[in-house]
Amino acid sequence: MKADSAPRQKVLPKARLQSQRLADQAYALLRAQILNGELPPGHALSVPKLSRLLGVSRSPVREAVLQLVADGLAQEEAHKGAVVAHFGLEDALQILEAREALELASVQLGVRRATTRDLEELQRILQAQAETVQNGDLEGYQATDLQFHKMLGSLSYNPVLERMVGLLKDQFHLALEPAARSLGQLERGFQEHQEVLKALEARSAPQAARALQKHFERIRESLESWLAARG
């Protein structure tokens, strides 16, 4: 036996790799249905039922549901098991506060690290968002809003920061859903997004920070007003 021989790399069984891919697909589908409202807050995520609906075994569905719980899009409830997470507006304000801190860090790093292609992609997203504003398409606006803020989270080129921003954005989207139609203000949100992009294109960290803070401040004030109106 050679003393310097390298240890053999462990090869995962093919069945395990296939199961993992199924779990990823199930997760992606369930996440999309949660965020677009097809699976509303409080909806039971029954593994046996979901496995039948998706036409796959229970194991990958169970993994997908556990990941949704880990990501804050589902929660475990006594006597019910996993259900789609339901947030109060107070929860949304707390999530927003954390999001603001993390997105500010990402954007300030992005001023230096964002590529020309990154900025072009942000511009493409805002062009699509302009159409949703013109058409009063709230659902389309929310989709482009998710894309825009997800892209902001990636500008740091820090995978840990990017994942945290993405998770909080998803949670906030779910928490905000009950108030979304009341808040509206698509035009203001679009204009604020444009200001953030202009600052990034100018490579100005202070300008980018001010623009993003203004955006979050407006959202926070809108949420607080909505809460007050509901008593």
Side-chain angles (χ1 to χ4, degrees):
M1 178 178 178
K2 296 182 180 179
D4 60 349
S5 61
R8 294 182 62 186
Q9 184 176 2
K10 184 177 180 180
V11 178
L12 294 175
K14 183 178 180 180
R16 174 58 183 166
L17 291 177
Q18 183 179 14
S19 175
Q20 185 60 49
R21 286 196 294 271
L22 288 174
D24 292 342
Q25 292 171 19
Y27 170 83
L29 178 60
L30 293 173
R31 173 185 174 274
Q33 291 181 331
I34 288 171
L35 293 179
N36 67 22
E38 290 181 56
L39 296 177
H43 184 90
L45 298 173
S46 165
V47 171
K49 184 176 180 179
L50 289 172
S51 66
R52 289 194 299 271
L53 289 173
L54 298 177
V56 298
S57 66
R58 295 184 183 186
S59 180
V61 174
R62 186 177 297 109
E63 288 186 44
V65 171
L66 288 173
Q67 187 60 53
L68 289 169
V69 172
D71 290 350
L73 295 179
Q75 57 196 48
E76 296 282 355
E77 291 192 352
H79 311 300
K80 292 184 67 174
V83 302
V84 177
H86 40 83
F87 300 94
L89 269 295
E90 292 86 353
D91 298 319
L93 289 170
Q94 293 174 359
I95 295 169
L96 182 66
E97 186 175 57
R99 264 191 62 201
E100 180 177 359
L102 292 174
E103 283 195 34
L104 277 171
S106 182
V107 165
Q108 287 176 318
L109 289 170
V111 166
R112 303 194 309 269
R113 299 177 182 177
T115 66
T116 300
R117 181 173 295 182
D118 291 331
L119 299 179
E120 289 173 349
E121 177 61 16
L122 283 169
Q123 185 61 54
R124 185 197 65 77
I125 293 170
L126 290 189
Q127 287 173 352
Q129 189 166 84
E131 294 183 15
T132 70
V133 172
Q134 184 176 0
N135 298 328
D137 178 7
L138 177 60
E139 185 175 335
Y141 177 86
Q142 289 176 323
T144 54
D145 182 71
L146 277 170
Q147 293 170 4
F148 183 80
H149 283 276
K150 181 179 180 181
M151 192 69 192
L152 290 185
S154 72
L155 298 182
S156 66
Y157 283 86
N158 180 320
V160 176
L161 184 55
E162 180 178 357
R163 174 169 171 74
M164 293 171 69
V165 169
L167 290 178
L168 288 173
K169 177 58 184 171
D170 285 352
Q171 290 176 25
F172 184 73
H173 176 81
L174 186 58
L176 186 61
E177 187 63 27
R181 296 194 178 277
S182 298
L183 294 177
Q185 303 187 43
L186 276 61
E187 179 66 33
R188 288 187 64 184
F190 171 64
Q191 291 173 352
E192 289 159 3
H193 288 162
Q194 287 183 307
E195 290 302 314
V196 174
L197 178 55
K198 287 178 184 177
L200 286 167
E201 291 173 335
R203 303 290 177 175
S204 171
Q207 183 181 341
R210 285 195 300 271
L212 194 58
Q213 285 172 324
K214 180 181 177 181
H215 180 54
F216 278 111
E217 181 179 351
R218 195 265 308 169
I219 295 173
R220 182 164 48 251
E221 289 175 351
S222 297
L223 279 173
E224 290 171 345
S225 295
W226 193 84
L227 275 172
R230 285 170 57 93

